[in-house]
Amino acid sequence: MWFTLLERKPAMFAPAGKGFTLVELLFTLAVAGVLCVLAVPSFARLGARTRLDNVDNGMVAALHFARASAIQGGSAVLLCPSRDGRACSGASDWSIGWLVAADRNHDGVPDGRPLRRGAALGHGLRAVSSSGRRRVRYVADGSAPGSNLSIVVCQAGQADSARKIVVANSGRVRQGTPTDRQAAACAAG
């Protein structure tokens, strides 16, 4: 009797010619697998570029915050690299973290508790400032006296993806492209 059921093909089974064969399904899976293998490197580059954009934009936002805090508070505000989130490190490596803090007595040391902190960068990301200037001090009129500060943001080992943030004496912040030397120095670590 069960032989008769298999031969008859009751109505609950798909009519002949309307389904997929095992060979067709395997071929479809093979094509989908090849497409996934081709797409993975693009997604990895997209992820790295997105992380780099986030660091770049986060640094610019911190600079704008520090400038606005100085103007609104009517006194100097520092933005500097910091290992512990309480004091400036004096290093030119911003990858270790940073802080924004009031500097009312103009001694270059944060007064009291920081207004904002930035965590250390991960994923092989780096942020390095020019050796001549390792911190930004905004004053009450929004300017940042001293030489221009350049912060280069890059992925370790990838100089071609580096970006640069420049803080002018006027306090203005702009984003740009680093020189080949700056990009290579950042990427080399």
Side-chain angles (χ1 to χ4, degrees):
M1 167 128 169
W2 61 277
F3 290 108
T4 334
L5 286 174
L6 289 176
E7 291 174 357
R8 256 205 245 149
K9 293 189 183 176
M12 67 181 185
F13 294 110
K18 297 288 185 178
F20 295 105
T21 66
L22 182 60
V23 172
E24 291 170 330
L25 288 174
L26 288 176
F27 181 75
T28 303
L29 286 174
V31 169
V34 168
L35 290 176
C36 286
V37 166
L38 293 174
V40 165
S42 295
F43 283 124
R45 282 191 301 274
L46 176 65
R49 193 170 49 242
T50 300
R51 286 189 297 273
L52 197 60
D53 285 341
N54 288 341
V55 170
D56 189 35
N57 292 333
M59 291 295 297
V60 169
L63 287 160
H64 286 300
F65 174 78
R67 185 177 191 202
S69 296
I71 293 168
Q72 291 171 351
S75 65
V77 172
L78 287 173
L79 174 65
C80 59
S82 175
R83 290 187 192 284
D84 60 7
R86 292 185 305 254
C88 294
S89 69
S92 60
D93 184 8
W94 295 69
S95 307
I96 59 175
W98 50 264
L99 63 84
V100 175
D103 182 23
R104 291 177 198 83
N105 57 4
H106 305 282
D107 63 354
V109 177
D111 298 340
R113 204 167 150 228
L115 303 171
R116 188 175 281 181
R117 295 179 187 136
L121 306 180
H123 305 288
L125 295 170
R126 302 207 59 233
V128 182
S129 64
S130 45
S131 59
R133 189 167 181 191
R134 296 186 171 137
R135 69 181 70 194
V136 178
R137 191 172 132 263
Y138 285 105
V139 293
D141 66 358
S143 64
S147 61
N148 285 352
L149 169 73
S150 294
I151 301 173
V152 178
V153 179
C154 68
Q155 181 77 36
Q158 297 178 9
D160 59 335
S161 64
R163 290 98 191 267
K164 180 167 77 170
I165 303 164
V166 179
V167 181
N169 294 340
S170 64
R172 180 176 168 257
V173 178
R174 66 178 172 85
Q175 294 169 290
T177 306
T179 65
D180 291 340
R181 193 171 129 234
Q182 289 172 324
C186 180

